[in-house]
Amino acid sequence: MENSLYRGLFGDEEISTHLSAEAEIAAMIRVERALARAQASAGVIPKDMAQTIDQGLKHIEVAPVDLIAGTTQSGIPVPGLVAALRAALPPEAAHWVHWGATTQDIMDNGLVLRLALMLRSLESRLHKLTHQLADMADAHATLPMAGRTRSQIATPITYGLRVAQWMHPLLDLSDRIPAVKEGLKKVQCGGASGANSAIAPDGPAVMEALAKELGLAPSQPWHTNRVILADLSHWCATLTAALASMAGDITLMLRREIGELRLQGGGGSSTMPNKTNPVQAEVMMTLGRRVSGLTASANLAVQHTEERDGPAWMQEWLVLPQILIGTGAALNHAIDLIANISPDSNRMAANLALDGGAAQAETASFALAKHMPRAEAQALVKKAASAAREHERSLIDAVKDLAGDVDLELDMRKDAAIAGSAEIVAQLVDRARA
Amino acid sequence: MENSLYRGLFGDEEISTHLSAEAEIAAMIRVERALARAQASAGVIPKDMAQTIDQGLKHIEVAPVDLIAGTTQSGIPVPGLVAALRAALPPEAAHWVHWGATTQDIMDNGLVLRLALMLRSLESRLHKLTHQLADMADAHATLPMAGRTRSQIATPITYGLRVAQWMHPLLDLSDRIPAVKEGLKKVQCGGASGANSAIAPDGPAVMEALAKELGLAPSQPWHTNRVILADLSHWCATLTAALASMAGDITLMLRREIGELRLQGGGGSSTMPNKTNPVQAEVMMTLGRRVSGLTASANLAVQHTEERDGPAWMQEWLVLPQILIGTGAALNHAIDLIANISPDSNRMAANLALDGGAAQAETASFALAKHMPRAEAQALVKKAASAAREHERSLIDAVKDLAGDVDLELDMRKDAAIAGSAEIVAQLVDRARA
Amino acid sequence: MENSLYRGLFGDEEISTHLSAEAEIAAMIRVERALARAQASAGVIPKDMAQTIDQGLKHIEVAPVDLIAGTTQSGIPVPGLVAALRAALPPEAAHWVHWGATTQDIMDNGLVLRLALMLRSLESRLHKLTHQLADMADAHATLPMAGRTRSQIATPITYGLRVAQWMHPLLDLSDRIPAVKEGLKKVQCGGASGANSAIAPDGPAVMEALAKELGLAPSQPWHTNRVILADLSHWCATLTAALASMAGDITLMLRREIGELRLQGGGGSSTMPNKTNPVQAEVMMTLGRRVSGLTASANLAVQHTEERDGPAWMQEWLVLPQILIGTGAALNHAIDLIANISPDSNRMAANLALDGGAAQAETASFALAKHMPRAEAQALVKKAASAAREHERSLIDAVKDLAGDVDLELDMRKDAAIAGSAEIVAQLVDRARA
Amino acid sequence: MENSLYRGLFGDEEISTHLSAEAEIAAMIRVERALARAQASAGVIPKDMAQTIDQGLKHIEVAPVDLIAGTTQSGIPVPGLVAALRAALPPEAAHWVHWGATTQDIMDNGLVLRLALMLRSLESRLHKLTHQLADMADAHATLPMAGRTRSQIATPITYGLRVAQWMHPLLDLSDRIPAVKEGLKKVQCGGASGANSAIAPDGPAVMEALAKELGLAPSQPWHTNRVILADLSHWCATLTAALASMAGDITLMLRREIGELRLQGGGGSSTMPNKTNPVQAEVMMTLGRRVSGLTASANLAVQHTEERDGPAWMQEWLVLPQILIGTGAALNHAIDLIANISPDSNRMAANLALDGGAAQAETASFALAKHMPRAEAQALVKKAASAAREHERSLIDAVKDLAGDVDLELDMRKDAAIAGSAEIVAQLVDRARA
């Protein structure tokens, strides 16, 4: 955000710290130092020079402001950074800094190092949120409420089931973290055009050594192969979408006319004393749609040409940070929001009882269908439902009147339906706690 | 950008200033003062109280940092701002601040006031760029080069025609500015739910007076009708796309293998002394794709529900500034870039002469078709073209050999083709200078 | 849709007809005939040959199936089409068909001719819908209901105001039709690389004559300047977004818990006899989001390179038809949907009365503020509101109790608020009927 | 495509067959039959009735045209389909068809069954393409060409390396197939609101049995958890992006001015006999951008509310087929295109020799840096490069002149650089063949 006012809504301080100029510079210096050590161990540069570089750059600080002009000129921060690093070293060591490397090697390794930290942070928040939801689902596994399909009251479910279904995609996304993480652990070491021509034939040795120094896995140069970053964007986008779904439900449930949730906190109005706006849920919905829009750009950013594609790469610089921050902010709001909502079982019961308990129409029709052809059963229930609505009486009573002395065991079936929800809740909660 | 390093590439200082928290607060204060004056003139609040508000808030400064917590809590900055304004006034005047208004009235009026300034700035840059291009097209109206269609050399055009075609969409977009500007001059005055209920029956009078005070046009409340902002986003996106097209062409022409343009300046490499990267053209391409992606979100932001839609409105806060800054940055780069390129007529001639001047195949086939059936003419030219390619001789000579003693007047036709380009250039340049 | 099952949901038969292969071929033949006439009148081809072409192609039918292989091979249908047309003519006339033209001339002119028809159809539907809404807004201008902001009950408005606000963006979009239409009336006549080189120096004369023959305006070649198509896409996208907003509101109002609208028709469930799904409103929401996503691609399609850009142009072929069909389908559903909904004034009143009529809190606080400082008034109303909620009594009564013997004229103010809504309704309805 | 002309460009007959109404209906019937068998085995419906259903529906054909009206009315095809199935059975068996199931159970299971087939087809094409590329990379592992970074000639690589890098993301995407496939093998069995209320307490047993019948894995209902479909869309989008990258490179290399590839086939022009357009490569670029745009919509389609979200679900119906067809078409074109291109080693050598072999500037500066400080070496090379450019002589000679009698071993280093490329090629080819 250009505008600081909205940072508390759309920002994420922790993620932003990793994405700051300062953190980027620090990570790139770390990479230059590791490169010197790696090249020394592969016999490409003198060992003592590598040591001088490694030690000499250990505590150096390069201010972003000093690199802006150079970045604007070159389109990349590395030439300016390397000049600054060289200036801080004795000339004979300066000579060996950034030996045979290309800007992208430095930036991409710096990026994946920082992404690992960001992903760890997102993972830990997701873990926390999942446990909040598991506890909530568990606690209300049998609290009846009306399920809604296509915006209409459908059949009874439980509040626990709804919460467990908010959690369901989050469990799937948790399962995908190891693969995303593993993917991002790829060393970048290709030199100018990705063939390590300046250090040939030592390219493979340097690459292996650099991977080891940085705690990454060996890899062919991936200058133009951005699949691992696309995977990360996709994971973030799907997560943010899942949080937006949850937020959409919560916003509906917080509406006064539905009233099935209560919210602690919430935003006030500048003119209406009666209102509490579900600000965090709204922000989550905003971010869900926002990050969806960014996925199109993230996918374009995968489309590189030749050995390095300026526009595609720069697209990545613009989009990836916003996806990460949007995801982080949405997770933070979700954790807060879930901590602040609680179900209103009276309102849930009242909505379930609307139109004489029309939500039980399906149950009634299946109970009846044990005693008559199904088409007939459905017709009878439809008739009963309109009688119940008109005369403000119970659907079940209306059905019983029309059905005669059939033993419908409706109450038993109703409990069974609750048990059906609870069974699915239990499975999902178990998965969350595994 | 979270990351300051890249501000010179993707940022726009002037536009960002108008989008800053400081500018937003100042604009909102201006609106609150105008509201007080308007309500006084409509007899809704006491005249002396309005004067106290107007004068008392004239020099007040509210720091963004003091509004962040409130904005995070409420989802909107106005409750906190109004509290700060009231605190700065005598209680009897504080009472009348923000009388019957809603947050959106204050924010939207503040927004359109700032958008007018931003649009003026973008317009003046576009004007400048258009004139640069008109001069360049004019100067090179008859400089021959190879036209390319679907990435292949096609028929001769002139460099002036290519430049004029870069300018063509910019002329169309200039023509659309008055409508976009006029659209954005809409006062927002609706109160809580857009019915001005708190100041009924004085709503219309206050709205008219407020429009006058702010130099805007009267309007029904447009809280949920964001067509004018969609129009602005669309104008920006199309402009940025047109600049990206120009940048794409320039990048191709700056390739060493094509070499039809020369660039002053350009970015260096961290490892290759031979390279000059077309950084500004690349950034323009980046921004073209980037802003395209944002249009999808901008269009979602138009989809409001009920009397105020939090998620849709907040979507607008996130997307509109990025569209404006991206457009502004692209324009700035374009102005610089156009000032720094110059055609290489030798390379243009050399490319036109490739394969014996194959670009003249169409001309030759039409000249021949005056003397033989067209299918025959095309077949003859195809044969000549492959002879020319194989034996590295001129296509025209090869055609003449095969065609016998037909007077093809090919040179005359060639000049006519140049004149054809020049004619279109003249029309577009005239339009630009009108 | 590949899948015919869903054509009634997402398709638009009329628009699709104009976008069919048959219609495209017919339009291109019309252009080839007009081109012959235009070239004859400019003295470029013999008059009798033009007549033979014009008459000879008048009743020709070329089957799409015969052009598919050629289109797949060339990436464009025109070479195959021209071959088919030539085969149907005497050789001496065949010679002059498509003289000096390029594929894009034929396709683009054919496109704008068909777009004019489609736009006329969309316009007439929009006109019809606007009038339906104007009548509905007018009829219910004073029917009170609760306004909702940020999903919460806010202050009273009228149903007429809500309907009028659905109409508000549609009025703005109607106002933009003439400019879009006018823009699309641009003749395309540039030849191979947009310089009319094959017919030089007669390019301008042919272009003028062709414009006249086709009822279009003269224009410089716009092969790579797609602003007019971007404008059309934008208009469609904003319109579809406005319809989605309306559909979103209607879906909410049709929820059983809110119940402020009743729907005739609506979709059934395969298993629940109690349900009526608001299918058409859902489809409109689907299309609103869908077309939003397509705008990003439409904007990318504006980014051409050089004299003809295959990928960008083909992007347009994919996206523009889907935008047009989506818009048309959404309009059709909207017309049906509006004809089938009616307000439930009892439910509106009941929701307005929730929590003792909390929607009147703003009104009450402004009424009180005439007698005490505003902060005090707001505090008193907040206290009254919570008393009303707890003891299930009227907010106004609770306010009166707390406020003592102040004459609040609350009822009068309430009527004034209704009048405030009605006033805005009247303005918008007048605009619709102008 | 509405327009049949373009099916050969953007369509995919095989994928479209799986997405046709006929295939959807057949799959849904298969699911209804499996459901009957599963419910019988779980004791929910009578075994003989299940057998009657299973056999009775084995050869039934329901024509799409008969379901369109019902689908338009209900928004879903299942009520109409179930009615048709019941009509084909004896009443006592008809009674038990679709017992306790919801539309989404039938449609989603039908979908994943068909997706498995489509994914198998895409996988086999990807496998074929990967092997083509591996062979090509292998064959040309040491063929020198100029690497280009940011559109400028950079340092030497080999054609094999470029091809291997086209293949690199495809290898990553092949690695991801098992996870995507496994994810999609999830049975859908939830009933009306996802709690299997109509068949409680037999929900879990029926779900397990149905999974077994359909060859799917057991799962909690995923009515609103669309992560597995988002994963599929993401995989497709990244794949299509990778193909677009390859196509972009090929288009550049096929430009006459670069000329490093030759193309068999290619499209002709309606007016220029000299041209061969790289149609298939263009289509691949079109589809790359196209599918990128669709990912935004696919991510929105993940955002469901409550127990079933009409608009989100329908968004999926619109977007997922287009993503699959676009991916399939891009793969088909890629296989053809790769079969039809061959490198032109002369042009590669010529481009490498431009400006006296400026591409070797990096190599020269690193060779020199063994004998003098690096800054000095870079300066010397820069000077030599401009001398070489001006006097049209070899950069290496110019360097040698300026450097004096230093033994630069430049040729040896050049071979080493080729070997560096070949080493990476070998690694990637091995991965492809593993």
Side-chain angles (χ1 to χ4, degrees), chain B residues 148-149 256-257 275 355, chain D residues 148-149 256-257 275 355:
Chain B
R148 273 87 164 184
T149 57
R256 177 57 188 83
E257 309 94 329
K275 289 193 62 191
D355 295 330
Chain D
R148 275 86 166 183
T149 58
R256 177 56 188 84
E257 310 93 328
K275 290 193 62 191
D355 296 330

Side-chain angles (χ1 to χ4, degrees), chain D residues 91-111:
Chain D
E92 67 278 12
H95 176 86
W96 297 104
V97 168
H98 190 69
W99 189 258
T102 195
T103 287
Q104 197 168 357
D105 296 336
I106 307 309
M107 286 178 69
D108 279 345
N109 284 316
L111 177 64

Side-chain angles (χ1 to χ4, degrees), chain B residues 366-377:
Chain B
F366 277 91
L368 273 178
K370 296 214 163 160
H371 305 275
M372 62 185 72
R374 192 170 172 190
E376 218 172 284

